[in-house]
């Protein structure tokens, strides 16, 4: 198993480099880079996108940032600014160097865990991620736990009563829940329970109340769960279907195997057969997939849910960085979470081995 893990870890390096190369290359063709953003702000335009609709007599930000080099008229909206100012901006942002040199320098810094500082916030990327992380972890962790706590018992029940009316109507309910988009369900929750048109049982925004620091321990716990209830429900709605049906099908496959018939022939009760023999084998694929499910919930709907419920998490951070062309934040978070995803893939394989030691990945590769 050690050799298999070592090979997987070695594959992380070229995979991560490939991810960064592709995204860095694509960014070179996106108009409105950090220099143009700074120019637009210096001219009082807010950001580069405000200049796209400029009239003929006004300086509009109509050209993209040619980061690979070019003439002095690259920045059409900057024609009224001194060339020295533009050159100083390029040096400040590092765009006075060729793209290949900038990429190699960036990757060397990342390998030393130096992710730089945000262009427009004057805060290190690591500090930004750590600041926003609690919100996204809260959504991802609670959504995953609730999905497992509901889906596993429900899937087992459906497998035991396969073909019954209970199995039929629960399958219909699960499919309907799966078909509802997360953002639409989030809006429905706000309208119903957050003072939209009916009841105001839950707060409309934020992860904590304004008087959080004044609350006691129990008050803080209650306030936290009061705020997180609706966002977690909105994030979890689509996860029930996959896990429930996966659990049901795993149990049905195991029930049909010979060892189950042997256990029944020995006189074991149905409960002993189900939970003493079938459960461990059926739960292999479900439990082992926990890290991947968590990462899926963690990244899947974070932007939409955080925006609707006004939560300041990683989803909104990534969106705002993309709009502002804040490259250190974009590439720093891409590197961090790309690495996390690759490591989670290895953890998923280790979970298989922990749940069922009979699995040997090295023998399968051989």
């Amino acid at each position: 198993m050690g050799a298999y893990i070592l090979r997987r870890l070695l594959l992380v390096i070229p995979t991560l480099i490939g991810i960064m190369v592709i995204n860095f290359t694509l960014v070179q063709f996106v108009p409105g880079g950090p220099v143009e953003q700074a120019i637009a702000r210096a001219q009082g335009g807010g950001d580069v996108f405000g200049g796209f609709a400029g009239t003929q007599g006004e300086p509009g930000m109509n050209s993209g940032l040619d980061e690979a080099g070019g003439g002095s008229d690259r920045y059409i909206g900057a024609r009224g600014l001194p060339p020295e100012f533009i050159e100083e901006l390029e040096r400040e942002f590092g765009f006075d160097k060729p793209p290949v040199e900038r990429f190699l320098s960036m990757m060397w810094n990342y390998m030393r865990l130096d992710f730089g500082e945000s262009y427009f916030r004057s805060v290190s990327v690591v500090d930004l991620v750590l600041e926003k992380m609690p919100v996204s972890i809260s959504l991802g962790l609670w959504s995953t736990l609730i999905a497992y706590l509901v889906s596993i018992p429900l899937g087992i029940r459906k497998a035991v009563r396969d073909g019954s009316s209970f199995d039929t109507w629960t399958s219909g309910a699960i499919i309907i829940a799966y078909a509802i988009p997360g953002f639409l369900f989030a809006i429905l929750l706000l309208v119903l329970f957050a003072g939209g048109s009916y009841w105001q049982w839950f707060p409309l925004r934020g992860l904590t109340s304004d008087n959080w620091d004044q609350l006691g321990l129990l008050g803080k716990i209650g306030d936290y769960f009061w705020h997180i209830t609706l966002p977690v429900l909105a994030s979890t709605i689509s996860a029930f279907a996959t896990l429930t049906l996966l659990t049901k099908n795993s149990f049905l496959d195991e029930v049909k195997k010979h060892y189950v018939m042997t256990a029944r022939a020995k006189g074991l009760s149905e409960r002993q057969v189900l939970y003493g023999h079938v459960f461990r084998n059926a739960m292999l694929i479900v439990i082992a997939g926990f890290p991947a499910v968590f990462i899926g919930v963690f990244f899947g709907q974070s932007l939409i849910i955080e925006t609707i419920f006004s939560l300041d998490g990683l989803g909104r951070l990534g969106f705002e960085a993309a709009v502002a062309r804040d490259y250190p934040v974009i590439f720093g978070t891409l590197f961090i979470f790309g690495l996390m995803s690759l490591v989670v893939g290895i953890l998923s394989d280790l979970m298989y081995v922990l749940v069922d030691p009979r699995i040997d990945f090295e023998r399968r590769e051989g």
Side-chain angles (χ1 to χ4, degrees), residues 191-214:
V191 171
L192 290 178
F193 304 114
S197 300
Y198 296 92
W199 306 280
Q200 191 168 3
W201 294 348
F202 297 94
L204 184 61
R205 63 183 60 205
L207 197 62
T208 57
S209 299
D210 294 334
N211 62 338
W212 166 263
D213 294 332
Q214 303 173 5

Side-chain angles (χ1 to χ4, degrees), residues 50 57 153 186 188-189 204 222 286 289 299 317 328 337 357:
L188 178 63
L189 291 176
L204 184 61
V286 178
F299 294 113
L317 173 65
F337 298 126

Side-chain angles (χ1 to χ4, degrees), residues 258-275:
H258 292 294
Y259 74 89
V260 176
M261 299 175 58
T262 303
R264 286 172 175 167
K266 291 181 178 179
L268 297 179
S269 65
E270 193 65 21
R271 185 177 183 84
Q272 289 176 318
V273 172
L274 189 63
Y275 293 101

Side-chain angles (χ1 to χ4, degrees), residues 19-266:
I19 294 173
M20 298 301 295
V21 167
I22 293 173
N23 285 274
F24 186 86
T25 303
L26 291 176
V27 162
Q28 308 310 307
F29 301 98
V30 177
V35 174
E36 284 195 332
Q37 293 283 347
I39 291 172
R41 296 185 182 190
Q43 292 182 327
D47 59 43
V48 70
F49 302 104
F52 284 141
T55 59
Q56 191 172 7
E58 297 175 345
M61 298 296 174
N62 296 331
S63 73
L65 174 63
D66 182 7
E67 296 174 352
S72 60
D73 61 344
R74 283 177 292 165
Y75 312 113
I76 296 178
R79 287 177 176 172
L81 296 176
E84 297 80 8
F85 178 76
I86 308 299
E87 293 176 0
E88 178 62 28
L89 282 178
E90 289 183 340
R91 283 194 297 270
E92 181 180 350
F93 291 123
F95 294 115
D96 57 333
K97 302 175 183 177
V100 175
E101 183 178 346
R102 285 189 282 112
F103 176 78
L104 294 176
S105 176
M106 180 184 71
M107 292 302 297
W108 171 244
N109 290 331
Y110 286 178
M111 293 301 177
R112 296 181 295 152
L113 301 181
D114 178 10
F115 298 100
E117 188 176 277
S118 170
Y119 283 156
F120 306 110
R121 300 185 188 219
S122 297
V123 180
S124 70
V125 174
V126 174
D127 289 340
L128 277 175
V129 171
L130 293 178
E131 179 186 346
K132 314 298 183 183
M133 186 76 79
V135 173
S136 298
I137 287 182
S138 294
L139 287 177
L141 183 61
W142 288 114
S143 298
T144 305
L145 288 176
I146 292 175
Y148 268 80
L149 290 175
V150 173
S151 297
I152 290 178
L154 181 59
I156 294 173
R157 184 70 171 172
K158 286 173 63 64
V160 172
R161 302 184 61 179
D162 183 38
S164 66
S165 58
F166 173 82
D167 181 40
T168 302
W169 74 260
T170 52
S171 295
I174 289 171
I175 292 173
I176 292 174
Y178 183 75
I180 298 176
F183 75 91
L184 184 61
F185 187 64
I187 295 174
L188 178 63
L189 291 176
L190 287 179
V191 171
L192 290 178
F193 304 114
S197 300
Y198 296 92
W199 306 280
Q200 191 168 3
W201 294 348
F202 297 94
L204 184 61
R205 63 183 60 205
L207 197 62
T208 57
S209 299
D210 294 334
N211 62 338
W212 166 263
D213 294 332
Q214 303 173 5
L215 299 175
L217 178 60
L218 293 179
K220 288 182 177 180
I221 294 175
D223 184 76
Y224 168 77
F225 283 107
W226 184 45
H227 281 77
I228 204 68
T229 298
L230 295 187
V232 167
L233 287 177
S235 301
T236 311
I237 185 68
S238 62
F240 287 126
T242 303
L243 282 174
T244 301
L245 296 180
L246 181 62
T247 302
K248 175 190 173 182
N249 292 333
S250 296
F251 264 76
L252 290 178
D253 288 341
E254 292 297 323
V255 166
K256 298 175 183 178
K257 293 184 177 179
H258 292 294
Y259 74 89
V260 176
M261 299 175 58
T262 303
R264 286 172 175 167
K266 291 181 178 179

Side-chain angles (χ1 to χ4, degrees), residues 283-337:
M283 286 296 98
L284 173 62
I285 190 172
V286 178
I287 297 175
F290 181 87
V293 173
F294 172 71
I295 289 295
V297 176
F298 187 80
F299 294 113
Q301 299 180 352
S302 59
L303 170 60
I304 298 175
I305 300 301
E306 289 172 11
T307 302
I308 292 176
F309 290 98
S310 300
L311 300 174
D312 194 12
L314 293 172
R316 290 185 64 183
L317 173 65
F319 174 74
E320 292 170 358
V323 171
R325 302 297 192 264
D326 198 344
Y327 291 161
V329 177
I330 294 174
F331 291 119
T333 54
L334 178 65
F335 183 90
I336 293 172
F337 298 126

